[in-house]
Amino acid sequence: MTSAPTPSQPQQLVRVWDLPTRLFHWTLAASVVGLVVTAKVGGNAMVWHFRLGYVVLALLVFRLVWGLVGGRWSRFGAFLYSPARLLRYLRGTGTPEDAVGHSPLGALSVFGLLAVLLAQVGTGLLSDDEIAFAGPLTRFVSNAVVSTATTYHKDLGQFLVLGLVALHVLAIMFYAVARKQRLVPAMWHGHKPAAPGTPAARDDIATRLAALGVGLLCGALAWWVSTLGAPAF
């Protein structure tokens, strides 16, 4: 969630979201929808639920790495705000830089979603439905841990994911309707209006090749995890 620069400021289009970040965003969104649908359908759809779970695992690990080495505004350091800065933003006295990448309020949403999704994927790897499907890490922990992870994954974790996703969508709608600020297009093309001199995110061929390499390693990690216990699909 971000806010736009004030109309009185001169503006120019700045590359804020690099291509790897945008691909991560939309792939994660599609995968989470798929996870929810396959979980509700159950039965043979659980095969795809597991597959999508490994995709989300790879995506989350990628985002953690990209949050350290990615484009200027995709790095965690760019939206790791202090409580004082968050309060100033909520009071309407934030800095122009708050409007470029993730705003102080939007940063809370990002960190919250990442944390909840990591917990959901992690408990999924430790879950067992006691019928046909078990996570690949269940054989490494006690039955008590498996039971706790399964309960969280099916109940609280699921509702936390759905709640945060719904809140994220409602926030986008609020900014579009109430503040006339369209947040979605920037995540498609990568550009946002910002004050002259605002640093742009690096998004060249070298950056994209580096992201591809990181992505392949993260995918390999997720595949390896999938082979530890449950049958590889």
Side-chain angles (χ1 to χ4, degrees), residues 94-115:
T95 66
E97 189 173 286
D98 292 343
V100 181
H102 292 299
S103 70
L105 195 58
L108 292 180
S109 175
V110 172
F111 287 126
L113 273 172
L114 289 177

Side-chain angles (χ1 to χ4, degrees), residues 54 57-58 213-227:
Y54 297 130
L57 172 61
V214 172
L216 290 174
L217 288 175
C218 293
L221 174 64
W223 174 83
W224 175 73
V225 170
S226 75
T227 66

